[in-house]
Amino acid sequence: MSSPVSTPASAAPPPADPVETVLRAQFEAGLGGDTAAYRRFLDALSARLRAFLRRRLGAAPDDVEDILQETLLAIHNSRHTYRSGEPLTAWVYAIARYKLMDFHRSHHRREALNLPLEAAQDVFAATDAESAQARHDLGQLLQALPDRHRLPILHVKLGGLSVSETARLTGMSESAVKVGIHRGLKALALKIRSAA
């Protein structure tokens, strides 16, 4: 007589979240045409989303209601994309997070456009004379280099050409262009250090 083989009991599924269960039932009933259930869904969801948004908008509490309305409108307009059986709260919060990111993007853009007057004065205080002088000094230093170093630096580093384009243009090999850049930059660095 063989001993009974014990089979492990299958793990019970985790208990359903009561909020998820109620919201999903109301939402799906609303999708089926029950306007009262859909209204209850929107009311319950509004309270939860408002708390979600308040926690994330500590610096901008006045914008909570605007983002809440945009989120509810997006949920309503996207309701046909919800797949029955999927977690409703995850779908809803994904939409809310997107609306929140949209707010932050547009808010930071507006802030960047509204520089204080002192910052504007800083912008106009600087002139381009220093960069013109720097270009002149760099030109002088480059002129002192032999062509095999100067031309690769001019075309690749300053002109934005590729190594192969520079090789074709100058008649040098690609490896000669790379070596020319390396040695030319090294020579420039030495000249700058000795001038300082």
Side-chain angles (χ1 to χ4, degrees):
M1 185 170 156
S2 63
S3 63
V5 177
S6 64
T7 57
S10 62
D17 177 13
V19 172
E20 167 75 24
T21 303
V22 169
L23 285 176
R24 188 170 11 169
Q26 292 170 340
F27 180 71
E28 289 180 345
L31 290 179
D34 185 344
T35 56
Y38 194 65
R39 170 58 39 209
R40 287 192 303 275
F41 163 75
L42 289 174
D43 289 343
L45 185 63
S46 293
R48 294 189 173 281
L49 284 174
R50 190 174 287 113
F52 172 81
L53 293 169
R54 276 196 185 127
R55 285 192 302 273
R56 283 153 183 82
L57 288 170
D62 298 338
D63 296 306
V64 168
E65 289 303 314
D66 290 339
I67 299 170
L68 174 64
Q69 294 309 313
E70 287 180 26
T71 304
L72 291 173
L73 184 61
I75 288 167
H76 178 74
N77 290 338
S78 304
R79 65 190 183 280
H80 65 280
T81 66
Y82 171 72
R83 289 192 296 259
S84 186
E86 296 288 319
L88 178 69
T89 49
W91 179 77
V92 163
Y93 282 123
I95 293 171
R97 281 192 299 273
Y98 284 121
K99 288 297 172 185
L100 203 51
M101 285 189 293
D102 286 345
F103 165 77
H104 285 302
R105 273 194 294 269
S106 69
H107 187 68
H108 290 301
R109 251 186 252 127
R110 280 195 313 261
E111 282 180 356
L113 293 174
N114 294 321
L115 291 173
L117 185 57
E118 300 81 41
Q121 290 170 344
D122 289 344
V123 169
F124 293 117
T127 65
D128 203 25
E130 290 176 3
S131 63
Q133 182 62 43
R135 281 193 303 272
H136 175 73
D137 292 345
L138 180 60
Q140 293 279 5
L141 289 169
L142 282 170
Q143 287 303 322
L145 293 177
D147 284 351
R148 68 182 185 278
H149 297 155
R150 182 174 50 82
L151 293 175
I153 291 172
L154 280 173
H155 294 304
V156 175
K157 294 299 183 182
L158 300 175
L161 296 179
S162 69
V163 169
S164 59
E165 290 169 327
T166 301
R168 279 194 305 273
L169 184 66
T170 61
M172 301 168 71
S173 69
E174 289 186 21
S175 61
V177 170
K178 291 176 187 176
V179 169
I181 292 169
H182 176 73
R183 290 185 179 160
L185 291 176
K186 219 171 170 179
L188 284 176
L190 284 172
K191 286 179 184 290
I192 292 170
R193 274 192 220 113
S194 64

